[in-house]
């Protein structure tokens, strides 16, 4: 137990990183754990709740759980049952070639195809016969691969494959990426567009992981169960930075030395008062709309890959399976540069060599505090999915226990 407090471990943030660590340290490490959370709820960006129409919504953007990591899936399954759900996404864009779009796909001058772009998307784009032929050509060009990234495809010298690459770049990637990042696919981290490859198959699922689903009653109850342990104390509406002091290799909580592990899952730059300058992020604005109809769209998420000032529309009932006739809630996502203004939330690290170098300065500063651990999407300045964070939390607590 830390010399002057009642706790053995301190955790800042009650998202995946914080909650998994708290449970493991309490349950498997026998530690008394204090979790400080700035928001008025747990679950971090995975938080979900009922809106005023009674629809279960995700307040910080659509979250679909998917993983190949059996340990993570088993661990979380202790705190929730799952609804089987395979996320599927379509692109919605202006129709620029009326001749080749199958008639049943024509509505209001728009066309639709599966995203990630796959062999069926190719037929929607180029017509049935030509699409089929080009599909075989792609399979011949990449015989040992099930997918190819758009940046890789654009390197292919074959003129017909280059034409496919141009089509996909123009109709899927360049405008969406400009909306999301304010930069082209070439200017952002290649790993980001690689998340949504071109599929060399007809698999129209957004993710191909072995385990996919949604917590049966939602994410928030899963987190509440995870944090419900006699040796875990959670204080919400508490900004840890008002109570923590880091100086000369020593961490103080409420003015007293805290010598147990401190797991910090907030922004690394904020922890050190932005002393090397702010780390760049993208933020999002969410536009909610509740409509008097059963459903608004055919898929959980529809990406507006070419036009519109938002990137995508998510309709939560598709994700959650909630049955509620005559009413539905949709959400549009508008991406902006994060300025640090009041109420703004940093959602995405802007990963590039300059920003990574700036982050490395904060990481080095954190290294001066042997009991301090930076963990999570913000604290590590990385583009992690939920399962990756849970895996990192399990690995860190393996070391600490
Ligand atoms: P967070 O969830 O951000 O939790 C950090 C917590 O720390 C927050 O609650 C914050 O309030 C708190 N905190 C910060 N500073 C302080 C402080 N000073 N004092 C007290 N508390 C503090 N992943 C998927 O796997 N599938 C998806 O479909 C998916 N969709 C996404 C959609 C969007 C729009 C976004 C932005 C992300 C999505 N993700 C998805 C990623 C997922 O949100 C993250 O992997 C996950 O939330 C990371 O957990 P975390 O604990 O690192 O961070
Ligand atoms: N992307 C795109 N068009 C799409 C879908 C994705 O250009 O229709 C690019 C875009 O740059 C995006 C990245 O691929 O930021 C990753 O997409 P993903 O859906 O994984 O983003 P997230 O759900 O994390 O916001």
């Amino acid at each position: 137990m830390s010399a002057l407090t009642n706790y053995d471990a301190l955790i800042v943030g009650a998202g995946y990183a914080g909650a998994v660590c708290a449970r493991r340290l309490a349950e498997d490490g026998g530690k008394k754990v204090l979790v400080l959370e700035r928001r008025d709820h747990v679950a971090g960006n995975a938080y979900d709740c009922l809106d005023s129409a009674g629809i279960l919504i995700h307040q910080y953007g659509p979250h679909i759980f998917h993983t190949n990591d059996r340990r993570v899936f088993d661990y979380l399954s202790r705190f929730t049952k799952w609804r089987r759900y395979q996320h599927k996404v379509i692109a919605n864009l202006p129709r620029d070639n009326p001749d080749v779009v199958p008639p049943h796909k024509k509505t209001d001058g728009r066309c639709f195809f599966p995203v990630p772009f796959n062999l069926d998307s190719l037929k929607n784009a180029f017509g049935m016969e030509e699409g089929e032929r080009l599909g075989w050509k792609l399979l011949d060009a990449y015989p040992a691969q099930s997918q190819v990234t758009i940046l890789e495809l654009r390197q292919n010298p074959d003129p017909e494959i280059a034409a496919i690459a141009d089509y996909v770049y123009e109709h899927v990637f360049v405008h969406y990426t400009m909306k999301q990042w304010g930069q082209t696919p070439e200017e952002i981290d290649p790993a980001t567009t690689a998340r949504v490859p071109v599929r060399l198959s007809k698999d129209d699922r957004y993710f191909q992981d072995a385990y996919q689903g949604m917590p049966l009653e939602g994410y928030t109850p899963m987190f509440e169960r995870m944090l419900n342990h006699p040796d875990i104390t959670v204080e919400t509406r508490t900004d840890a930075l008002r109570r923590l002091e880091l100086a000369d290799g020593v961490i103080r909580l409420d003015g007293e030395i805290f010598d147990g592990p401190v797991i910090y899952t907030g922004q690394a730059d904020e922890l050190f008062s932005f002393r090397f300058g702010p780390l760049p992020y993208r933020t999002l604005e969410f536009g909610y709309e509740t409509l008097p109809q059963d459903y608004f769209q055919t898929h959980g998420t529809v990406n507006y890959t070419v036009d519109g000032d938002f990137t995508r529309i998510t309709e939560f009932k598709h994700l959650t399976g909630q049955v509620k006739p005559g009413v539905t809630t949709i959400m549009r996502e508008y991406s902006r540069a994060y300025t640090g203004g009041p109420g703004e939330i940093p959602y995405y690290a802007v990963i590039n060599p300059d920003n990574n170098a700036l982050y490395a300065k904060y990481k080095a500063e954190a290294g001066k505090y042997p009991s301090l651990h930076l963990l999570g999407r913000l604290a590590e300045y990385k583009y992690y999915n939920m399962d990756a964070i849970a895996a990192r939390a399990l690995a860190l607590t393996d070391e600490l226990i």
Side-chain angles (χ1 to χ4, degrees):
M1 191 162 291
S2 184
L4 295 166
T5 77
N6 293 322
Y7 298 102
D8 304 307
L10 173 66
I11 296 179
V12 178
Y16 272 93
V20 171
C21 285
R23 181 72 186 212
R24 285 219 72 212
L25 290 179
E27 189 171 57
D28 302 328
K31 296 192 188 305
K32 290 206 176 301
V33 182
L34 175 63
V35 181
L36 302 179
E37 169 55 58
R38 191 186 260 163
R39 294 173 180 169
D40 62 2
H41 59 74
V42 299
N45 285 346
Y47 175 71
D48 51 15
C49 60
L50 294 180
D51 69 6
S52 57
I55 302 291
L56 184 61
I57 58 159
H58 296 178
Q59 191 162 306
Y60 305 96
H63 280 70
I64 298 101
F65 186 80
H66 56 102
T67 191
N68 284 319
D69 188 328
R70 180 69 199 243
R71 184 181 184 202
V72 166
F73 182 70
D74 285 347
Y75 194 77
L76 296 178
S77 299
R78 290 184 49 208
F79 310 107
T80 188
K81 293 195 171 103
W82 299 93
R83 155 178 148 76
R84 280 177 173 274
Y85 174 71
Q86 304 262 343
H87 195 47
K88 292 189 180 179
V89 174
I90 54 165
N92 177 328
L93 63 162
R95 179 153 50 93
D96 59 4
N97 187 351
D99 299 332
V100 298
V101 180
H104 68 280
K105 304 276 182 193
K106 292 183 187 174
T107 46
D108 300 333
R110 316 278 307 171
C111 72
F112 310 90
F113 53 70
V115 175
F117 197 90
N118 66 22
L119 297 182
D120 282 331
S121 314
L122 206 53
K123 290 182 191 161
N124 288 1
F126 291 90
M128 293 303 278
E129 280 178 27
E130 184 64 356
E132 176 86 14
R133 191 182 68 77
L134 290 172
W136 284 110
K137 180 143 194 178
L138 270 183
L139 291 171
D140 281 347
Y142 300 96
Q145 290 174 232
S146 63
Q147 55 190 42
V148 53
T149 70
I150 183 60
L151 297 180
E152 197 182 348
L153 197 63
R154 272 167 66 85
Q155 303 294 320
N156 195 305
D158 181 289
E160 284 192 327
I161 293 184
I164 299 171
D166 285 350
Y167 184 93
V168 178
Y169 186 79
E170 173 63 26
H171 293 81
V172 180
F173 285 98
V174 67
H175 303 288
Y176 187 103
T177 299
M178 284 302 297
K179 284 192 268 183
Q180 176 72 8
W181 298 99
Q183 290 182 299
T184 65
E186 288 75 15
E187 289 168 326
I188 66 171
D189 181 22
T192 300
T193 48
R195 290 167 60 89
V196 183
V198 174
R199 288 256 169 82
L200 304 172
S201 70
K202 292 183 179 174
D203 188 345
D204 63 348
R205 297 170 305 156
Y206 207 61
F207 310 111
Q208 292 182 315
D209 302 60
Y211 308 100
Q212 304 190 33
M214 301 290 293
L216 195 58
E217 297 152 80
Y219 289 96
T220 307
M222 176 179 85
F223 275 82
E224 284 168 350
R225 281 185 212 112
M226 207 177 337
L227 289 163
N228 182 15
H229 186 281
D231 288 332
I232 301 177
T233 303
V234 181
E235 294 183 24
T236 53
R237 295 192 181 87
T238 304
D239 186 343
L241 297 183
R242 291 178 188 270
R243 294 177 52 182
L244 273 177
E245 197 189 319
L246 277 67
D248 304 324
V250 175
I251 300 179
R252 287 186 165 76
L253 174 66
D254 299 330
E256 298 183 349
I257 290 177
F258 190 89
D259 51 19
V262 176
I263 299 173
Y264 176 83
T265 76
Q267 287 170 252
D269 52 358
E270 193 182 17
L271 178 61
F272 295 107
S273 312
F274 306 96
R275 71 179 60 160
F276 306 115
L279 285 163
Y281 292 95
R282 298 291 289 181
T283 187
L284 296 171
E285 278 172 33
F286 299 116
Y288 293 93
E289 203 179 341
T290 296
L291 300 161
Q293 59 202 69
D294 289 349
Y295 286 101
F296 169 77
Q297 62 191 25
T298 52
H299 290 64
T301 298
V302 176
N303 287 2
Y304 286 72
T305 52
V306 172
D307 58 352
D309 53 355
F310 51 89
T311 51
R312 56 189 177 188
I313 300 182
T314 293
E315 183 170 20
F316 295 104
K317 279 169 70 178
H318 286 293
L319 274 53
T320 60
Q322 187 178 7
V323 178
K324 207 161 165 59
V327 62
T328 190
T329 297
I330 61 170
M331 187 184 74
R332 294 178 173 81
E333 289 176 54
Y334 303 85
S335 174
R336 318 248 186 266
Y338 174 74
T339 66
E344 253 185 30
I345 295 174
Y347 285 109
Y348 296 91
V350 181
I351 294 163
N352 63 36
D354 286 350
N355 297 346
N356 289 348
L358 179 55
Y359 174 76
K361 293 186 185 172
Y362 287 110
K363 177 85 179 146
E365 200 59 25
K368 296 177 184 168
Y369 299 83
S371 62
L372 176 64
H373 305 274
L374 301 186
L375 185 80
R377 224 190 201 208
L378 290 170
E380 296 180 69
Y381 203 66
K382 290 241 167 65
Y383 200 150
Y384 284 132
N385 287 329
M386 296 184 276
D387 65 322
I389 293 295
R392 292 187 60 72
L394 292 174
L396 173 63
T397 47
D398 281 345
E399 278 172 36
L400 294 176
I401 291 168

